[in-house]
Amino acid sequence: RYFIDWKNDGDSYFTIDATEGTIATNDLLDRESTAQYNFSIIASKVSNSLLTSKVNVIINVLDVNEFPPEISVPYETSVCENAKPGQVIQTVTAADKDLSPAGQRFSFRLSSEASNKPNFTVHDYRNNTAGIEARRNGYSRRQQELYFLPVVIEDSSYPIQSSTNTMTIRVCRCDADGTILSCNVEAIFLPVGLSTGALIAILLCIVILLAIVVLYVALRRQKKKDTLMTSKEDIRDNVIHYDDEGGGEEDTQAFDIGALRNPKVVEDNKTRRDIKPDTLCLPRQRLPVEDKTDIRDFINQRLQENDVDPTAPPYDSLATYAYEGNGSVAESLSSIDSLTTEADQDYDYLSEWGPRFKTLADMFGEEESYNPDKVT
């Protein structure tokens, strides 16, 4: 019987027939990752398993052309503005990841989309190198700074593999001998006499101008906003702005005093209370007060009458509600402007107010009927 002596993971790529001893692959092989495998095969006798022998097996993986050739290194290609047609500006080589056999050859050519452009061409030297040549008489950096040249590279193995590599060609300023002087941004402005300091000054002026424009626009917007806030036509209930001294509480022309009204009354009565009504309204006939009217009910009644009265003063004025006077059972109890004296007063009605006012009736009643000693 035959079997593999498993020692490492690489042995799992192969298997062996136990009877015939045929070795076969058990997985896909990649020469670029592992080019050689080394393992042992053990053979044992069927009649006696103790009789065995071991032999080492080495398997080399053959290469298959599966990778296309590419440009060996990234080139920084440049062309002078005073280049001539046919002038070689760069020599390129190729490389292949596959194990190139002896006599492997690479070919170079332009792609089909670039063959019609007369800017540059590719000259294959047939020794695995090629030259990039100019096809124009002079190049202008101010018209076009960069050129992109697609180059196709093919190998000679089977099956043939090819790839397209794009080369970047930069236009530079050179002297009469073809020596490159400068390829940076400054080279664009040197022919017109601008130095690096001049370029920095120009950019600084542009930045300052932009800052001035932005500041001017911001100030205009702020001024417009302030004008709207201080306009006489902009009457607001939350912000009142006075430019001069007003007339105090009587000055009701500066703002809408109607905002101070009771919201419930405003919904019911739309008449303005901050100005004098055009039409004269007759004074309202107030309902007579009953004898047993409670003071709270009386005040609420007077408040309701003033709320619905369009001739009443604004709500920031003072309205006085007095319970004494006309309609009171005791009439006026004030001694101010009284035309009578206490001697002329008749207090006999106090005896009609009940037991609680008996003492008071005795005090203000007839003098002969009042005895202080009897007061408890």
Side-chain angles (χ1 to χ4, degrees):
R1 293 292 180 266
Y2 303 94
F3 58 92
I4 298 177
D5 186 13
W6 305 102
K7 291 183 179 180
N8 50 56
D9 296 337
D11 300 339
S12 62
Y13 282 91
F14 301 93
T15 184
I16 188 171
D17 185 84
T19 304
E20 301 294 336
T22 304
I23 300 176
T25 55
N26 197 33
D27 203 347
L28 293 176
L29 305 181
D30 185 9
R31 188 202 64 83
E32 282 68 31
S33 61
T34 306
Q36 188 180 84
Y37 295 89
N38 190 353
F39 54 92
S40 299
I41 299 295
I42 299 177
S44 64
K45 203 170 185 177
V46 176
S47 58
N48 187 357
S49 59
L50 298 179
L51 300 178
T52 62
S53 63
K54 180 186 295 186
V55 62
N56 291 330
V57 177
I58 298 176
I59 298 179
N60 294 318
V61 182
L62 301 179
D63 184 40
V64 175
N65 190 29
E66 55 183 339
F67 293 99
E70 298 177 349
I71 292 180
S72 57
V73 293
Y75 294 97
E76 294 182 359
T77 307
S78 58
V79 61
C80 295
E81 289 183 322
N82 55 358
K84 304 298 181 181
Q87 180 179 345
V88 179
I89 62 174
Q90 184 68 60
T91 301
V92 296
T93 59
D96 196 342
K97 294 182 180 180
D98 295 317
L99 181 61
S100 301
Q104 175 76 285
R105 192 180 68 84
F106 302 110
S107 61
F108 304 83
R109 60 180 175 85
L110 280 179
S111 63
S112 57
E113 61 270 13
S115 58
N116 297 327
K117 298 180 180 179
N119 295 320
F120 302 93
T121 185
V122 177
H123 185 194
D124 190 356
Y125 297 143
R126 299 185 182 280
N127 59 354
N128 292 342
T129 61
I132 307 299
E133 299 179 356
R135 296 184 61 183
R136 290 175 49 183
N137 189 6
Y139 298 84
S140 176
R141 179 173 173 80
R142 278 181 285 183
Q143 292 181 358
Q144 186 171 351
E145 179 185 359
L146 298 176
Y147 291 89
F148 300 98
L149 184 67
V151 179
V152 178
I153 306 177
E154 293 182 353
D155 59 17
S156 58
S157 300
Y158 182 82
I160 296 177
Q161 300 288 345
S162 64
S163 65
T164 301
N165 302 260
T166 301
M167 298 185 62
T168 302
I169 303 175
R170 184 182 300 274
V171 180
C172 300
R173 189 173 67 90
C174 306
D175 57 11
D177 298 332
T179 303
I180 296 177
L181 298 178
S182 179
C183 290
N184 52 22
V185 180
E186 182 184 355
I188 300 178
F189 300 95
L190 285 177
V192 296
L194 295 178
S195 61
T196 304
L199 293 177
I200 296 176
I202 293 174
L203 294 177
L204 184 60
C205 292
I206 294 175
V207 172
I208 294 175
L209 289 176
L210 290 177
I212 293 174
V213 171
V214 172
L215 182 61
Y216 176 76
V217 173
L219 291 177
R220 288 292 300 272
R221 290 184 178 179
Q222 184 67 26
K223 183 177 180 181
K224 183 177 180 181
K225 183 178 180 180
D226 294 341
T227 303
L228 291 177
M229 292 298 296
T230 58
S231 176
K232 295 182 178 179
E233 298 178 359
D234 186 17
I235 301 175
R236 301 174 183 267
D237 295 337
N238 54 350
V239 178
I240 305 300
H241 182 81
Y242 292 96
D243 289 332
D244 53 358
E245 184 177 358
E249 294 183 356
E250 297 179 357
D251 185 7
T252 59
Q253 301 299 325
F255 60 95
D256 186 6
I257 199 173
L260 303 177
R261 298 188 62 190
N262 189 345
K264 296 182 179 180
V265 178
V266 173
E267 296 179 358
D268 299 336
N269 185 10
K270 303 301 180 179
T271 306
R272 292 190 60 175
R273 300 288 298 277
D274 58 335
I275 60 176
K276 185 177 181 180
D278 296 335
T279 58
L280 297 176
C281 298
L282 297 177
R284 295 173 56 88
Q285 297 295 329
R286 296 186 177 182
L287 299 176
V289 180
E290 298 179 358
D291 295 343
K292 297 182 180 181
T293 300
D294 186 80
I295 184 67
R296 179 182 300 176
D297 297 338
F298 170 77
I299 293 177
N300 290 335
Q301 180 181 354
R302 290 294 182 262
L303 286 174
Q304 186 176 4
E305 291 178 358
N306 280 270
D307 281 342
V308 298
D309 188 0
T311 62
Y315 277 91
D316 60 348
S317 61
L318 178 65
T320 304
Y321 306 98
Y323 186 72
E324 62 179 349
N326 294 332
S328 174
V329 176
E331 296 183 352
S332 178
L333 301 180
S334 175
S335 61
I336 300 177
D337 296 334
S338 178
L339 301 178
T340 59
T341 62
E342 292 184 359
D344 299 334
Q345 296 291 332
D346 185 9
Y347 299 103
D348 294 340
Y349 60 87
L350 293 177
S351 58
E352 300 176 0
W353 286 8
R356 295 183 179 181
F357 297 92
K358 184 177 184 304
T359 301
L360 187 62
D362 295 339
M363 293 175 58
F364 290 91
E366 296 180 358
E367 296 182 357
E368 61 273 12
S369 62
Y370 173 69
N371 188 0
D373 297 334
K374 295 181 180 180
V375 176
T376 57

